[in-house]
Structures are given as C-alpha cells and as structure tokens.
Amino acid sequence: MAESPDPTGLALVEQFGKLAAPTIDDYCATSAEYIRGASQISDQKRKAAQLRLSNGLSRATLTSFRAAGLSLDGAVAGERTVGGGLRSVKADVSEISETDGLKLAIEIKPVHLAVGRAIWNRFGDIRTFAVNVHLKFPFAVVGGILTLPTTERLRSGHDDDWKPTTHLIERAIGRFTRAGGRQTEGDASHLLEGIAVVVFDHKSGRMDPELPADGTGLRWQEFIDRMAEAYDARFGGE
C-alpha cells in the first residue's frame, strides 16, 4: 500500500519514511514514538503513520536479508498481490521470478495499540497467509512478522495509566514457535519457514533483550537467519 502523503506530526515517523535502508532498531524507535503520540493526533495522521511504519518495516526486512548475504535483486518491499491456493493475498515483502514463480513472501502484522485484542487475530492472519501461499507455491519461503510493545494504555486515549503486555506475549510464544517450523517444501502448508516476534519498549524504543528468549527462533536475527537458510537451500542463494 502506498504511503499517505499526509504529515503525521511525529518527527521520527517522518524521518523513518525517508531512510534508504532502515533497520529493525529504527523501526522499534519509530513505533515507540507513534505509540506515545497516538492519542494526541487525528485519525488521519494515525493512518498515515501506520502506513509509514509498515512500509518502513518492509524495507528494514530487506535490509536485514541483504546483510545476511541474500541479494534479492527482484524483491519488492511494500504490498503486492500474489496468487494463492484459495485466494489472492497481499505480501508485504515478496520476490517473484519467471522460472520459479513466487520465491519469497512475508506478511507483516504490527500491533501498536490494544495488544490483548489484536495478538491472536494477527497470528491467525499469518497462518492463513501461509496456507494460501504454500498451497500454490510449495517451494516459497514464507515468513511472518509481528511487532508488539511491552505495555499498552489501560484505557484507550488516556496516557496516564499503562499496563504490561508481556504476560500475553509469553503465553503466545509457544504457539508462535510451533508455527514457524517448516523446514522443507513437503511440510504442512500452514507452517511458516520463519516467524519474527519483535517486542519493544514504548518509552525507550529499544527491542526487549529477553523476550522472546534466545533459541526460540523468534528473535529478529534468528528469523532472518532461518529464512535465509531456507531460501539458500531451495534457490541456491540466488
């Protein structure tokens, strides 16, 4: 989806949209600014900020893949409609070639506000995305990215009281881990080659150092490495 030209009134969000090669750390800092300022800006500005964040995270994902050694010259960061086994879907990061068809497809599902209501819906969306893509393109390397703050407002629109979301994220970690274990093209279509769960603090804008735990496969670099390994195994590191 194209970014809205509307100004957001948020300095980091405006800067993030202009970065040529944003990183995941840039994304976390910018998302934190958006969460802190969301109740002070209009619905139109919130929508514009969300589009900048999603598009920037798509570009940050490609930055990380290329740092891991994948060229992905034909990859697109930003929504693109791709065919699916059940219906067409929109991939936020994708690569298509004439010889192999869809090689890479990633669904990005950021959660900025109302984490408790959104986390399971976003997870379900990612699983549905994987089924659709794998049924038509069993060799495609499919990933999902969820981003979540460690706290949320106690009441929508009120900035004085915040409550932790870490217990919700901890409860979901096991299911996320099991859903990201697709190792070969013969494995179940509802599994993904990789899932990233990016958890960050809304005050500091820094990624949480402990959640998810190392070794779950859900931390950002683990996700990038798993996806790169699967891509290299199927497409020869092209």
Side-chain angles (χ1 to χ4, degrees):
M1 185 178 296
E3 289 187 9
S4 168
D6 297 326
T8 64
L10 301 171
L12 288 181
V13 172
E14 294 299 318
Q15 180 183 352
F16 188 54
K18 300 173 184 177
L19 294 177
T23 67
I24 190 61
D25 290 327
D26 293 327
Y27 170 81
C28 290
T30 306
S31 289
E33 180 196 50
Y34 168 68
I35 290 170
R36 293 193 303 269
S39 61
Q40 281 84 49
I41 60 177
S42 66
D43 289 345
Q44 184 176 1
K45 289 183 177 181
R46 281 196 292 271
K47 183 63 174 179
Q50 291 164 10
L51 291 174
R52 284 172 171 78
L53 285 165
S54 293
N55 288 343
L57 182 52
S58 297
R59 292 186 288 114
T61 303
L62 281 186
T63 298
S64 291
F65 280 143
R66 286 167 178 155
L70 298 182
S71 60
L72 299 178
D73 292 333
V76 171
E79 278 191 355
R80 174 162 65 172
T81 300
V82 299
L86 302 175
R87 59 177 175 81
S88 295
V89 294
K90 293 184 183 296
D92 295 299
V93 179
S94 58
E95 185 185 29
I96 298 173
S97 75
E98 292 184 3
T99 54
D100 295 303
L102 185 64
K103 299 165 69 174
L104 176 72
I106 296 175
E107 171 93 319
I108 290 175
K109 288 295 182 183
V111 178
H112 299 114
L113 310 171
V115 175
R117 294 200 303 268
I119 188 169
W120 292 115
N121 289 338
R122 300 292 191 274
F123 177 65
D125 291 342
I126 287 175
R127 293 288 291 271
T128 301
F129 177 82
V131 171
N132 260 308
V133 172
H134 281 143
L135 285 177
K136 188 166 185 178
F137 300 99
F139 282 83
V141 178
V142 178
I145 300 172
L146 294 97
T147 71
L148 304 152
T150 55
T151 51
E152 64 180 345
R153 288 173 176 82
L154 195 60
R155 293 182 296 161
S156 177
H158 293 265
D159 295 340
D160 295 335
D161 297 312
W162 296 73
K163 59 183 178 180
T165 62
T166 50
H167 64 293
L168 300 172
I169 300 169
E170 288 169 347
R171 279 166 45 195
I173 289 297
R175 192 175 295 184
F176 294 156
T177 303
R178 291 191 297 274
R182 192 172 190 264
Q183 297 181 346
T184 74
E185 60 275 8
D187 289 345
S189 60
H190 66 274
L191 299 176
L192 296 92
E193 277 68 20
I195 297 179
V197 179
V198 178
V199 182
F200 61 92
D201 182 271
H202 88 279
K203 291 182 179 179
S204 69
R206 297 190 183 95
M207 201 181 307
D208 191 284
E210 298 179 353
L211 192 67
D214 289 335
T216 58
L218 301 176
R219 292 196 68 82
W220 182 256
Q221 195 56 51
E222 292 176 334
F223 162 74
I224 294 296
D225 292 343
R226 284 189 174 192
M227 294 286 287
E229 182 180 358
Y231 185 98
D232 185 66
R234 294 177 202 177
F235 303 111
E238 298 172 10

